[in-house]
Amino acid sequence: MADTNTNSSAGRKPIRVWVDGCFDMMHFGHANALRQARAMGDYLVVGVHSDAEVESNKGPCVMKEDERYAAVAACKWVDQVVKDAPYVTTLEMLDTYDIDFVVHGDDITTAADGTDCYQLVKDAGRYKECRRTVGISTTELVGRMLLVSRDHHIRGPRSGKSPIQGVDETAVADFSQGSRAAGGMIGIAHYLSTSKKIIQFSSGRDPKPGDRVVYVDGAFDLFHTGHIEFFKKARELGDYLLVGVHDDQAVNSVKGGNFPVMNLQERVLGVLQCRYVDEVIIGAPYSVTKDVLEDVYHVDAVVHGASDQPLDIDGTDPYALPKTKGIYHEVQHPRLDLTTTAIIERIIENRHVYIARQARKAKKALAEAEAEQREKELKAALHV
């Protein structure tokens, strides 16, 4: 169930809203659309397309369908997930789930044959739009990985390290040339976060008296189901989950290369949309300090995943203090195999496939933009 308060009033039928999509590399832009859709009704049903449906209409996904289903289900504004939803939204599907209307971003999405995926529900008067989040998309994130760029980082002193930790440097050496050769369509967008957006994503809840506060920290780059499963396990050790998100300089100094793929503001929003998270420390120190344990809230437990943890830039153990205090815990979870590096490796291993995908999506986006402009002109003409 979504973590937001219901908008329904006593005596009326709850408004059921439908959103569907691929939700590949589920990011805060997706979450913001779901937040807006949930605010339009009382119950949000999200249809997620299967790998086969996406492949035939859009191209290959980076994340597998079970990973995409789990990522959407972990969003705090989602009440129900429908797996293997059709790529073209049908009235029959809406009636099956007793849906009042569909919500989609203010852009046109087309199927493989070029038709508007939402034309049927538009014609039936069961369609509403929300504002698309500018500056973030799955295509943008794949582009950053193909270009091995750090232009999206929040500015600060940079590390001189060049290789991406855990990835063969020779495998990515020509990505910048190769990506641009595919059509010059891969650029780096800059998402501009605001205090309002952070407030919209925040729970606004403090720990209750007697609550056990659990602290976890990390980069949480390309927020994925490995992070979600970790948060879920950490949350089980207490009542309130406080998450420290390291800044770009700290992450890059330790991991090198173009890490993090997403900047601090983007990563914070990705963490905040997760239903298991209560609060975030923005730009938390890489090593857990006395301030972290006492100044925000009194932390009862510090939790880390059962995997290798790089030392701080000065060679010290970042968890030395909580270990000394006896509050350090390690947890196992079922997706220890899924890491940010593993996602990047998927892109690298299928480099030519994703370069072709980017080119196809750029061409498709141009056609959709033209169709969107024609639709706006038609609407304007009808209102004259």
Side-chain angles (χ1 to χ4, degrees):
M1 290 292 291
D3 294 340
T4 52
N5 292 328
T6 180
N7 296 328
S8 62
S9 300
R12 71 162 174 83
K13 173 186 174 294
I15 297 172
R16 294 172 63 87
V17 181
W18 174 277
V19 173
D20 57 21
C22 308
F23 301 100
D24 194 16
M25 298 177 68
M26 172 82 177
H27 51 70
F28 66 90
H30 294 134
N32 193 38
L34 299 177
R35 180 191 65 80
Q36 293 178 77
R38 182 61 169 75
M40 296 182 193
D42 306 307
Y43 191 89
L44 179 60
V45 182
V46 181
V48 183
H49 311 315
S50 68
D51 289 345
E53 278 281 87
V54 179
E55 177 81 33
S56 61
N57 286 279
K58 196 174 185 178
C61 282
V62 177
M63 310 305 291
K64 300 178 179 67
E65 59 186 47
D66 62 323
E67 295 166 344
R68 294 185 288 112
Y69 297 150
V72 173
C75 178
K76 62 185 177 183
W77 295 293
V78 174
D79 294 291
Q80 182 179 353
V81 172
V82 175
K83 300 178 181 179
D84 194 15
Y87 201 82
V88 175
T89 309
T90 65
L91 297 176
E92 290 78 11
M93 177 62 72
L94 302 189
D95 292 340
T96 298
Y97 290 93
D98 193 23
I99 300 299
D100 292 282
F101 55 83
V102 174
V103 174
H104 184 65
D106 50 2
D107 56 340
I108 286 181
T109 300
T110 57
D113 61 2
T115 58
D116 185 341
C117 292
Y118 298 98
Q119 195 60 56
L120 293 173
V121 294
K122 287 178 179 179
D123 292 343
R126 297 170 70 178
Y127 177 84
K128 294 187 179 184
E129 287 185 347
C130 64
R131 293 189 62 184
R132 182 180 177 277
T133 305
V134 177
I136 187 66
S137 68
T138 302
T139 302
E140 156 70 15
L141 295 177
V142 171
R144 291 182 191 179
M145 287 182 276
L146 289 174
L147 288 174
V148 196
S149 169
R150 291 185 294 186
D151 291 343
H152 56 282
H153 287 185
I154 296 173
R155 299 299 180 183
R158 287 182 172 180
S159 166
K161 297 179 181 179
S162 60
I164 298 178
Q165 184 186 51
V167 175
D168 180 4
E169 185 178 5
T170 61
V172 299
D174 63 344
F175 264 32
S176 182
Q177 290 180 327
S179 300
R180 295 190 186 280
M185 70 294 170
I186 299 172
I188 298 300
H190 297 270
Y191 173 72
L192 301 177
S193 185
T194 63
S195 58
K196 180 180 179 181
K197 186 62 62 191
I198 291 175
I199 290 169
Q200 288 172 336
F201 273 52
S202 299
S203 69
R205 185 177 78 85
D206 287 325
K208 298 190 297 290
D211 275 356
R212 181 175 168 83
V213 176
V214 177
Y215 178 74
V216 301
D217 64 350
F220 305 114
D221 199 10
L222 300 176
F223 194 75
H224 53 71
T225 50
H227 298 136
I228 293 166
E229 291 297 332
F230 170 55
F231 286 167
K232 189 187 299 185
K233 285 293 184 182
R235 190 69 159 69
E236 291 173 358
L237 296 180
D239 309 292
Y240 190 95
L241 185 62
L242 175 64
V243 180
V245 182
H246 303 147
D247 65 29
D248 297 346
Q249 181 183 347
V251 176
N252 190 253
S253 294
V254 172
K255 293 193 172 184
N258 72 326
F259 281 116
V261 177
M262 304 180 79
N263 68 40
L264 175 62
Q265 296 168 347
E266 296 169 333
R267 291 181 286 115
V268 165
L269 292 175
V271 170
L272 281 172
Q273 61 86 26
C274 181
R275 65 173 69 249
Y276 304 109
V277 174
D278 294 291
E279 183 60 287
V280 167
I281 297 178
I282 302 173
Y286 195 82
S287 289
V288 179
T289 64
K290 182 174 181 290
D291 292 340
V292 168
L293 298 181
E294 297 179 4
D295 286 3
V296 180
Y297 301 116
H298 174 75
V299 172
D300 299 287
V302 175
V303 179
H304 181 61
S307 59
D308 292 337
Q309 169 64 40
L311 298 177
D312 205 335
I313 195 69
D314 60 359
T316 59
D317 180 357
Y319 297 104
L321 180 59
K323 286 177 180 178
T324 300
K325 295 173 70 70
I327 60 172
Y328 176 80
H329 305 268
E330 290 189 354
V331 294
Q332 297 275 356
H333 63 78
R335 290 315 310 262
L336 283 170
D337 61 309
L338 185 60
T339 63
T340 301
T341 298
I343 294 171
I344 294 174
E345 286 175 341
R346 292 181 185 182
I347 303 292
I348 293 172
E349 289 169 4
N350 297 281
R351 172 195 171 201
H352 297 293
V353 172
Y354 285 109
I355 288 176
R357 171 188 187 263
Q358 299 291 85
R360 286 197 308 273
K361 289 196 71 175
K363 184 177 180 180
K364 188 168 181 277
L366 180 61
E368 290 173 347
E370 291 173 349
E372 185 178 345
Q373 182 60 34
R374 289 194 298 271
E375 185 176 274
K376 287 180 179 177
E377 290 172 356
L378 178 60
K379 287 180 179 178
L382 292 173
H383 283 84
V384 172

